[in-house]
Amino acid sequence: MDNKSLEILEKLISFQSVTPKGADAIEYVAKFLSELGFSCDIKKFGPVQEEVTNLYAVLGDSAPNICFAGHLDVVPPMNDELWHSDPFKMRIQDDNVYGRGAVDMKGAIACAMSAVSKFINNGNKHEGAISFLLTTDEEGPGTYGTKAMLEHIKDKKIDFCILGEPTSKRVVGDTIKIGRRGSVNFVLKVNGKQGHVAYPEKAINPMPAMVAILAELCAVELDDGSKYFQKSNLEVTSVDVGNDVSNIIPESVNVKFNIRFNDHHSSKDLSAMVVEVVSKYSDDYDLQYSCSSEPFIQKYSDNMQKFTKIVEGICGVSPTVETGGGTSDARFIHRFSEVVEFGLNCDLAHKINEHTKISDLQTLHNVYYSCLNEFLRG
């Protein structure tokens, strides 16, 4: 194993960079890259209580500019007592590296940093530039992270971006993403009239209407998917009446649900469909919805095909090119640069005792190093 990757990862995991924290992690990366000759631009956006620290670091000023993008923020450990060890202290057991962010996605950033360090210190002759675009607000709203930083550096041309999100399903190399489904969240409140269960004629129970609404929405077949996209799906995530007793008809019922959708739909069309269904069963309701991302798909370009061949050669598997999973910062990056998402096994992302294999880190390091050689060959 390339020990530099583990050394960097140990340091990255030690930063308790739960969104939007992570200024110390960004500063560590900036210092590391500065010592390699990178010019580093650290910018903070957002109000003090929500302040997000971002980094754009670049070495070289000619094309092509190959950029490693990602996030140093992590989700909370949750249930610390269920972790085998301190989630913010890297632990190695056999071929496994444990720690919050090992998979999503400090492991990938460590591999990119070690690959770049090796590439530069080996004195490789190359053309073009190498850059890093990092944030501490990917696991959160994303308002003051990569999106804001891209606007800040919009005069800096990035030719090809590698986003190290965990994409692999069984083995590293089996999945590359060139797009993502959209996501729209709904909060629906159906109103009734509170009363005693023994006198239903004096009350209006909102539950039957809500049950009918959810039954119809959940039965809708949105589509059958497409070439690069899986089927769209609606998932109910919360039902709440705020009622702890059994003898009161509730005043109202609240539900939350999400639709992940492909390029057959837009958030506007889906919202109209939901309004149509809800209005069939209730005329006293409140519906709020917000779209965090519309679906996008990029052309499978020459650069992407070149990247796929590198992955296939290093990993020994033929990658599936797709758009599955949740949202990522690729939804912002693709407007500025071609971007592929490629990283570690996604199975343990966000889980208790999050870990990755040392051998997988080595494979990812090798892919990133080979990309530098192939894309920047002099």
Side-chain angles (χ1 to χ4, degrees):
M1 171 67 201
D2 176 79
N3 290 328
K4 195 69 173 177
S5 294
L6 288 178
E7 176 187 324
I8 296 169
L9 182 54
E10 181 175 25
K11 187 66 176 178
L12 292 179
I13 288 175
S14 74
F15 297 112
Q16 299 187 31
S17 52
V18 175
T19 313
K21 297 178 180 178
D24 47 3
I26 289 284
E27 289 166 3
Y28 164 74
V29 175
K31 183 176 184 296
F32 180 95
L33 295 176
S34 293
E35 292 174 354
L36 292 174
F38 281 74
S39 174
C40 297
D41 182 10
I42 296 177
K43 295 296 291 185
K44 297 184 178 183
F45 300 108
V48 175
Q49 65 273 21
E50 301 173 35
E51 190 173 70
V52 174
T53 307
N54 305 279
L55 170 68
Y56 179 69
V58 62
L59 176 66
D61 55 8
S62 60
N65 180 352
I66 306 302
C67 180
F68 293 98
H71 62 92
L72 285 163
D73 61 313
V74 297
V75 295
M78 306 295 288
N79 302 303
D80 286 28
E81 67 278 4
L82 297 180
W83 283 73
H84 297 154
S85 58
D86 185 341
F88 293 109
K89 185 175 181 180
M90 190 178 84
R91 179 172 68 91
I92 296 177
Q93 181 177 337
D94 301 323
D95 185 37
N96 295 319
V97 178
Y98 290 82
R100 177 56 89 211
V103 173
D104 191 9
M105 57 166 284
K106 292 179 176 181
I109 293 174
C111 289
M113 290 169 65
S114 65
V116 167
S117 176
K118 179 180 178 180
F119 183 78
I120 293 171
N121 290 328
N122 281 1
N124 289 282
K125 293 182 178 180
H126 66 279
E127 298 175 350
I130 307 170
S131 60
F132 282 80
L133 175 62
L134 304 177
T135 187
T136 59
D137 186 30
E138 193 276 342
E139 300 290 4
T143 306
Y144 304 116
T146 297
K147 181 181 180 181
M149 197 62 179
L150 284 165
E151 284 295 327
H152 174 67
I153 64 164
K154 60 186 176 183
D155 60 329
K156 315 287 187 186
K157 188 175 189 308
I158 297 172
D159 296 285
F160 189 69
C161 186
I162 303 167
L163 179 58
E165 288 286 353
T167 56
S168 302
K169 297 177 180 177
R170 294 178 297 100
V171 295
V172 172
D174 63 12
T175 307
I176 295 170
K177 297 183 181 181
I178 62 170
R180 288 278 187 159
R181 291 191 299 170
S183 175
V184 57
N185 294 303
F186 294 86
V187 179
L188 172 63
K189 178 181 181 181
V190 171
N191 297 306
K193 183 179 178 182
Q194 184 174 309
H196 196 299
V197 295
Y199 305 98
E201 70 279 3
K202 298 179 182 295
I204 300 174
N205 194 332
M207 290 297 289
M210 183 63 84
V211 169
I213 290 167
L214 294 181
E216 181 163 338
L217 288 175
C218 290
V220 172
E221 287 288 338
L222 293 169
D223 54 71
D224 292 321
S226 57
K227 180 177 179 180
Y228 290 112
F229 286 95
Q230 65 192 94
K231 294 172 64 174
S232 301
N233 64 290
L234 182 153
E235 300 297 331
V236 179
T237 57
S238 174
V239 179
D240 182 28
V241 295
N243 189 358
D244 295 327
V245 298
S246 60
N247 59 352
I248 296 177
I249 293 172
E251 179 74 16
S252 61
V253 55
N254 298 273
V255 302
K256 295 179 182 179
F257 55 96
N258 172 273
I259 301 178
R260 294 298 168 104
F261 59 102
N262 58 36
D263 54 350
H264 287 303
H265 310 279
S266 70
S267 60
K268 182 178 179 180
D269 294 339
L270 291 170
S271 300
M273 180 272 291
V274 171
V275 168
E276 182 179 354
V277 172
V278 173
S279 60
K280 286 171 58 176
Y281 300 98
S282 174
D283 56 8
D284 189 3
Y285 67 89
D286 179 70
L287 177 66
Q288 304 292 327
Y289 51 88
S290 61
C291 179
S292 59
S293 177
E294 297 288 344
F296 75 92
I297 183 70
Q298 303 166 91
K299 176 185 176 183
Y300 189 42
S301 67
D302 290 342
N303 282 336
M304 293 178 184
Q305 293 176 51
K306 184 176 182 178
F307 180 84
T308 301
K309 289 179 180 178
I310 292 170
V311 170
E312 187 170 4
I314 296 293
C315 301
V317 295
S318 181
T320 298
V321 178
E322 58 155 69
T323 60
T327 57
S328 75
D329 278 352
R331 69 189 190 272
F332 307 127
I333 299 170
H334 81 95
R335 300 189 182 102
F336 292 80
S337 165
E338 291 184 335
V339 54
V340 293
E341 297 184 61
F342 181 75
L344 297 164
N345 193 307
C346 64
D347 282 353
L348 290 164
H350 293 199
K351 292 186 177 180
I352 293 170
N353 294 313
E354 178 180 350
H355 63 276
T356 188
K357 294 180 179 179
I358 294 177
S359 53
D360 286 352
L361 289 167
Q362 181 66 65
T363 299
L364 191 59
H365 165 92
N366 293 344
V367 169
Y368 290 166
Y369 182 77
S370 295
C371 286
L372 293 171
N373 275 313
E374 291 297 322
F375 281 95
L376 300 177
R377 183 180 294 157

